[in-house]
Amino acid sequence: MDRDDPQIVISRVVDAPRDLVYRAFTDPDHLAAWWGPIGNSLPREEMDFDIRPGGHQRWTELFPTQPGLRVDVHIDLTDVADGELIDGVAHVTGQLPEGIEPHETRMRVEFHDEADGRTRLEIRQWLPERLVGPADQGWNEAFSKLDAALTNAHPIAVDVEV
Amino acid sequence: MSGSDQLSAVFSALADPTRRAILAELADRDATVTELTAPLPISMPAVSRHLKALERAGLISRTRSGKLRMSRIEAAPLREAAEWIERYRRFWDTSLTRLDAHLAAVQAAGRPTDRTAHGPALPDSESPGKSHDKEN
Protein backbone atom coordinates (compact mmCIF):
# COMPACT_ATOMS: atom_id res chain seq x y z
CA MET A 1 0.00 0.00 0.00
CA ASP A 2 3.01 2.25 0.09
CA ARG A 3 4.14 2.28 -3.50
CA ASP A 4 2.11 5.35 -4.31
CA ASP A 5 1.69 8.80 -2.97
CA PRO A 6 -0.20 9.16 0.29
CA GLN A 7 -3.79 10.25 0.06
CA ILE A 8 -3.47 12.46 3.12
CA VAL A 9 -0.65 14.92 3.62
CA ILE A 10 -0.75 17.27 6.59
CA SER A 11 1.83 19.81 7.69
CA ARG A 12 1.33 21.41 11.06
CA VAL A 13 3.51 23.47 13.36
CA VAL A 14 3.01 22.96 17.07
CA ASP A 15 4.35 25.19 19.82
CA ALA A 16 6.56 22.76 21.65
CA PRO A 17 10.11 21.45 21.28
CA ARG A 18 10.66 18.50 19.01
CA ASP A 19 11.61 15.99 21.71
CA LEU A 20 8.42 16.70 23.60
CA VAL A 21 6.27 16.42 20.51
CA TYR A 22 7.96 13.16 19.61
CA ARG A 23 7.17 11.81 23.05
CA ALA A 24 3.57 12.93 22.66
CA PHE A 25 3.36 10.33 19.89
CA THR A 26 5.52 7.63 21.44
CA ASP A 27 4.82 7.75 25.18
CA PRO A 28 1.53 6.06 26.03
CA ASP A 29 0.72 8.51 28.82
CA HIS A 30 1.12 11.38 26.41
CA LEU A 31 -0.73 9.76 23.53
CA ALA A 32 -3.72 8.84 25.66
CA ALA A 33 -4.09 12.51 26.60
CA TRP A 34 -4.74 13.76 23.08
CA TRP A 35 -5.34 10.98 20.55
CA GLY A 36 -8.81 11.51 19.13
CA PRO A 37 -11.59 11.41 18.35
CA ILE A 38 -13.20 13.53 21.03
CA GLY A 39 -14.86 11.55 23.77
CA ASN A 40 -12.79 8.43 23.45
CA SER A 41 -10.50 6.99 26.07
CA LEU A 42 -7.44 4.81 25.84
CA PRO A 43 -7.24 2.51 28.87
CA ARG A 44 -3.67 2.72 30.07
CA GLU A 45 -3.47 -0.98 30.93
CA GLU A 46 -4.28 -1.88 27.34
CA MET A 47 -1.53 0.26 25.88
CA ASP A 48 1.65 -1.53 24.86
CA PHE A 49 4.38 0.48 23.17
CA ASP A 50 7.69 -0.82 21.87
CA ILE A 51 9.13 2.10 19.94
CA ARG A 52 11.80 0.84 17.54
CA PRO A 53 11.99 -0.41 13.99
CA GLY A 54 10.11 -3.71 14.05
CA GLY A 55 8.38 -2.69 17.26
CA HIS A 56 4.78 -1.78 17.80
CA GLN A 57 2.19 0.51 19.35
CA ARG A 58 -1.00 -1.14 20.56
CA TRP A 59 -4.00 0.36 22.23
CA THR A 60 -7.75 0.17 22.45
CA GLU A 61 -10.10 3.10 22.05
CA LEU A 62 -13.32 3.10 24.07
CA PHE A 63 -16.24 5.49 23.73
CA PRO A 64 -18.20 6.09 26.95
CA THR A 65 -21.24 7.30 25.02
CA GLN A 66 -21.20 4.21 22.80
CA PRO A 67 -20.43 1.29 25.10
CA GLY A 68 -20.55 -1.30 22.31
CA LEU A 69 -17.61 0.15 20.49
CA ARG A 70 -14.07 -1.06 20.92
CA VAL A 71 -11.48 0.02 18.42
CA ASP A 72 -8.27 -1.99 18.53
CA VAL A 73 -5.31 -0.25 16.95
CA HIS A 74 -2.15 -2.27 16.36
CA ILE A 75 0.64 -0.42 14.63
CA ASP A 76 3.57 -2.40 13.30
CA LEU A 77 6.43 0.07 13.26
CA THR A 78 8.58 -0.25 10.18
CA ASP A 79 10.82 2.76 10.60
CA VAL A 80 11.67 4.74 13.70
CA ALA A 81 14.30 7.43 14.22
CA ASP A 82 14.39 8.76 17.76
CA GLY A 83 12.96 12.24 17.90
CA GLU A 84 12.59 12.42 14.15
CA LEU A 85 10.33 9.82 12.63
CA ILE A 86 7.79 7.10 13.21
CA ASP A 87 6.43 5.12 10.31
CA GLY A 88 4.25 2.07 10.49
CA VAL A 89 1.18 0.20 9.36
CA ALA A 90 -1.86 0.48 11.61
CA HIS A 91 -4.21 -2.48 11.76
CA VAL A 92 -7.63 -1.25 12.87
CA THR A 93 -10.02 -3.93 14.14
CA GLY A 94 -12.54 -4.52 16.91
CA GLN A 95 -16.13 -3.37 17.33
CA LEU A 96 -15.88 -0.42 15.01
CA PRO A 97 -18.21 2.54 14.58
CA GLU A 98 -20.84 2.17 11.89
CA GLY A 99 -19.45 2.56 8.41
CA ILE A 100 -15.91 1.61 9.33
CA GLU A 101 -14.57 -1.72 8.21
CA PRO A 102 -11.45 -3.32 9.64
CA HIS A 103 -8.57 -1.94 7.63
CA GLU A 104 -4.87 -1.29 7.41
CA THR A 105 -3.45 2.15 6.91
CA ARG A 106 0.15 3.26 6.80
CA MET A 107 0.95 6.37 8.78
CA ARG A 108 4.22 8.27 8.74
CA VAL A 109 4.96 11.17 11.07
CA GLU A 110 8.11 13.27 10.73
CA PHE A 111 9.25 15.75 13.37
CA HIS A 112 11.21 18.79 12.22
CA ASP A 113 12.68 21.70 14.17
CA GLU A 114 11.12 25.07 13.54
CA ALA A 115 12.20 28.50 14.75
CA ASP A 116 11.56 29.52 18.36
CA GLY A 117 11.55 26.01 19.73
CA ARG A 118 8.56 24.92 17.77
CA THR A 119 8.11 21.71 15.81
CA ARG A 120 6.72 21.01 12.36
CA LEU A 121 4.82 17.77 11.97
CA GLU A 122 4.71 16.21 8.55
CA ILE A 123 1.99 13.59 8.56
CA ARG A 124 1.37 11.24 5.69
CA GLN A 125 -1.25 8.55 5.51
CA TRP A 126 -1.98 5.89 2.98
CA LEU A 127 -5.54 4.60 2.94
CA PRO A 128 -6.64 1.00 2.40
CA GLU A 129 -5.71 -0.17 -1.04
CA ARG A 130 -9.21 -1.35 -1.88
CA LEU A 131 -10.39 2.21 -1.48
CA VAL A 132 -8.01 3.64 -3.97
CA GLY A 133 -8.71 1.09 -6.64
CA PRO A 134 -6.10 -0.02 -9.14
CA ALA A 135 -3.11 1.42 -7.40
CA ASP A 136 -1.25 3.24 -10.10
CA GLN A 137 0.09 6.73 -10.25
CA GLY A 138 -2.51 8.16 -12.58
CA TRP A 139 -5.41 7.15 -10.41
CA ASN A 140 -3.72 8.57 -7.38
CA GLU A 141 -3.06 11.83 -9.14
CA ALA A 142 -6.70 12.06 -10.06
CA PHE A 143 -7.68 11.12 -6.57
CA SER A 144 -5.36 13.68 -5.02
CA LYS A 145 -6.96 16.39 -7.11
CA LEU A 146 -10.39 15.19 -6.10
CA ASP A 147 -9.19 15.25 -2.52
CA ALA A 148 -8.03 18.82 -3.02
CA ALA A 149 -11.38 19.77 -4.51
CA LEU A 150 -13.18 18.29 -1.54
CA THR A 151 -10.83 20.05 0.83
CA ASN A 152 -11.47 23.39 -0.84
CA ALA A 153 -15.18 22.80 -0.57
CA HIS A 154 -14.91 22.13 3.15
CA PRO A 155 -12.15 24.28 4.64
CA ILE A 156 -10.41 22.76 7.61
CA ALA A 157 -7.92 24.03 10.09
CA VAL A 158 -4.92 22.06 9.00
CA ASP A 159 -2.59 22.91 6.17
CA VAL A 160 -2.96 20.47 3.35
CA GLU A 161 -0.47 19.95 0.59
CA VAL A 162 -1.58 18.05 -2.44
CA MET B 1 -22.27 3.19 -3.91
CA SER B 2 -24.84 0.59 -4.79
CA GLY B 3 -22.67 -2.48 -5.03
CA SER B 4 -19.78 -4.21 -6.67
CA ASP B 5 -21.15 -3.74 -10.19
CA GLN B 6 -21.08 0.01 -9.74
CA LEU B 7 -17.63 -0.26 -8.27
CA SER B 8 -16.49 -2.36 -11.21
CA ALA B 9 -17.85 0.21 -13.64
CA VAL B 10 -16.03 2.95 -11.79
CA PHE B 11 -12.71 1.14 -11.73
CA SER B 12 -13.12 0.05 -15.33
CA ALA B 13 -13.64 3.65 -16.35
CA LEU B 14 -10.67 4.70 -14.28
CA ALA B 15 -8.43 2.04 -15.80
CA ASP B 16 -7.79 4.35 -18.77
CA PRO B 17 -5.14 7.05 -18.24
CA THR B 18 -6.86 9.52 -20.55
CA ARG B 19 -10.06 9.24 -18.58
CA ARG B 20 -8.15 9.76 -15.37
CA ALA B 21 -6.56 12.86 -16.86
CA ILE B 22 -10.01 14.14 -17.81
CA LEU B 23 -11.32 13.42 -14.34
CA ALA B 24 -8.36 15.23 -12.80
CA GLU B 25 -9.17 18.28 -14.91
CA LEU B 26 -12.80 18.11 -13.87
CA ALA B 27 -11.79 17.90 -10.23
CA ASP B 28 -10.63 21.50 -10.61
CA ARG B 29 -13.60 22.86 -12.52
CA ASP B 30 -16.44 22.02 -14.86
CA ALA B 31 -15.30 22.06 -18.46
CA THR B 32 -16.42 21.77 -22.05
CA VAL B 33 -15.18 19.15 -24.48
CA THR B 34 -13.07 21.82 -26.13
CA GLU B 35 -11.41 22.75 -22.88
CA LEU B 36 -10.78 19.12 -22.03
CA THR B 37 -9.32 18.35 -25.44
CA ALA B 38 -6.77 21.17 -25.38
CA PRO B 39 -4.22 19.55 -23.05
CA LEU B 40 -4.64 16.07 -24.54
CA PRO B 41 -2.93 14.64 -27.62
CA ILE B 42 -6.17 13.23 -28.99
CA SER B 43 -9.12 14.45 -31.00
CA MET B 44 -12.30 16.00 -29.74
CA PRO B 45 -14.41 13.00 -30.81
CA ALA B 46 -12.05 10.74 -28.86
CA VAL B 47 -12.48 12.90 -25.77
CA SER B 48 -16.24 12.74 -26.28
CA ARG B 49 -16.10 8.97 -26.27
CA HIS B 50 -14.13 9.00 -23.04
CA LEU B 51 -16.67 11.38 -21.51
CA LYS B 52 -19.45 8.95 -22.43
CA ALA B 53 -17.59 6.17 -20.65
CA LEU B 54 -17.14 8.32 -17.56
CA GLU B 55 -20.80 9.29 -17.68
CA ARG B 56 -21.88 5.64 -17.90
CA ALA B 57 -19.81 4.92 -14.79
CA GLY B 58 -21.52 7.80 -13.03
CA LEU B 59 -18.24 9.62 -12.55
CA ILE B 60 -19.36 12.71 -14.41
CA SER B 61 -22.62 14.38 -15.39
CA ARG B 62 -23.17 16.55 -18.44
CA THR B 63 -25.33 19.62 -18.45
CA ARG B 64 -26.07 22.44 -20.83
CA SER B 65 -25.14 25.95 -19.84
CA GLY B 66 -26.40 28.19 -22.61
CA LYS B 67 -24.81 26.83 -25.76
CA LEU B 68 -22.07 25.08 -23.85
CA ARG B 69 -22.23 21.50 -22.77
CA MET B 70 -20.36 21.24 -19.53
CA SER B 71 -18.98 18.12 -17.91
CA ARG B 72 -18.93 17.96 -14.15
CA ILE B 73 -17.26 15.46 -11.86
CA GLU B 74 -19.66 13.41 -9.76
CA ALA B 75 -18.09 12.35 -6.50
CA ALA B 76 -20.90 10.03 -5.44
CA PRO B 77 -19.43 6.85 -6.94
CA LEU B 78 -16.23 7.65 -5.12
CA ARG B 79 -18.06 8.47 -1.96
CA GLU B 80 -16.74 5.57 0.03
CA ALA B 81 -13.16 6.46 -0.72
CA ALA B 82 -13.81 10.15 -0.25
CA GLU B 83 -15.49 9.49 3.08
CA TRP B 84 -12.45 7.64 4.29
CA ILE B 85 -10.25 10.56 3.40
CA GLU B 86 -12.60 12.98 5.09
CA ARG B 87 -12.91 10.75 8.13
CA TYR B 88 -9.19 10.58 8.62
CA ARG B 89 -8.71 14.24 7.84
CA ARG B 90 -11.24 15.13 10.52
CA PHE B 91 -9.53 12.70 12.83
CA TRP B 92 -6.15 14.38 12.35
CA ASP B 93 -7.63 17.84 12.63
CA THR B 94 -9.36 17.01 15.90
CA SER B 95 -6.40 15.11 17.30
CA LEU B 96 -3.84 17.76 16.42
CA THR B 97 -5.98 20.42 18.05
CA ARG B 98 -6.04 18.28 21.17
CA LEU B 99 -2.28 17.76 20.82
CA ASP B 100 -1.83 21.54 20.84
CA ALA B 101 -3.85 21.81 24.03
CA HIS B 102 -1.99 18.90 25.60
CA LEU B 103 1.44 20.30 24.79
CA ALA B 104 0.41 23.71 26.09
CA ALA B 105 -0.84 22.16 29.33
CA VAL B 106 2.30 20.11 29.81
CA GLN B 107 4.53 23.11 29.27
CA ALA B 108 2.39 25.50 31.30
CA ALA B 109 2.59 23.11 34.23
CA GLY B 110 6.11 24.39 34.72
CA ARG B 111 7.70 21.07 34.08
CA PRO B 112 10.99 20.84 32.27
CA THR B 113 10.32 21.15 28.58
CA ASP B 114 13.07 18.61 28.21
CA ARG B 115 14.92 19.33 25.04
CA THR B 116 17.34 16.52 25.79
CA ALA B 117 15.04 13.52 25.61
CA HIS B 118 15.82 12.66 29.20
CA GLY B 119 13.92 13.50 32.36
CA PRO B 120 10.48 13.30 30.80
CA ALA B 121 7.83 15.81 31.67
CA LEU B 122 5.45 12.92 32.27
CA PRO B 123 5.80 9.61 34.03
CA ASP B 124 7.91 7.20 32.05
CA SER B 125 6.03 4.70 29.97
CA GLU B 126 7.98 2.06 31.90
CA SER B 127 6.46 3.22 35.18
CA PRO B 128 2.73 3.31 34.68
CA GLY B 129 2.13 3.17 38.41
CA LYS B 130 3.10 6.79 38.85
CA SER B 131 0.39 9.34 39.20
CA HIS B 132 -1.03 10.68 35.98
CA ASP B 133 -1.22 14.36 36.68
CA LYS B 134 -0.33 15.54 33.22
CA GLU B 135 -3.62 17.31 32.75
CA ASN B 136 -3.02 19.65 35.67
Side-chain angles (χ1 to χ4, degrees), chain B residues 33-44:
Chain B
V33 175
T34 305
E35 291 169 333
L36 290 170
T37 302
L40 297 171
I42 58 175
S43 67
M44 202 175 297

Side-chain angles (χ1 to χ4, degrees), chain A residues 80-122:
Chain A
V80 173
D82 189 34
E84 300 174 0
L85 163 74
I86 50 175
D87 191 337
V89 177
H91 307 263
V92 182
T93 58
Q95 300 301 312
L96 302 174
E98 187 178 358
I100 299 183
E101 302 290 327
H103 62 282
E104 297 179 359
T105 177
R106 179 185 166 201
M107 293 188 282
R108 177 184 178 89
V109 182
E110 297 175 12
F111 306 79
H112 299 276
D113 285 325
E114 282 283 303
D116 303 324
R118 296 187 300 166
T119 304
R120 188 177 78 255
L121 289 170
E122 298 285 351

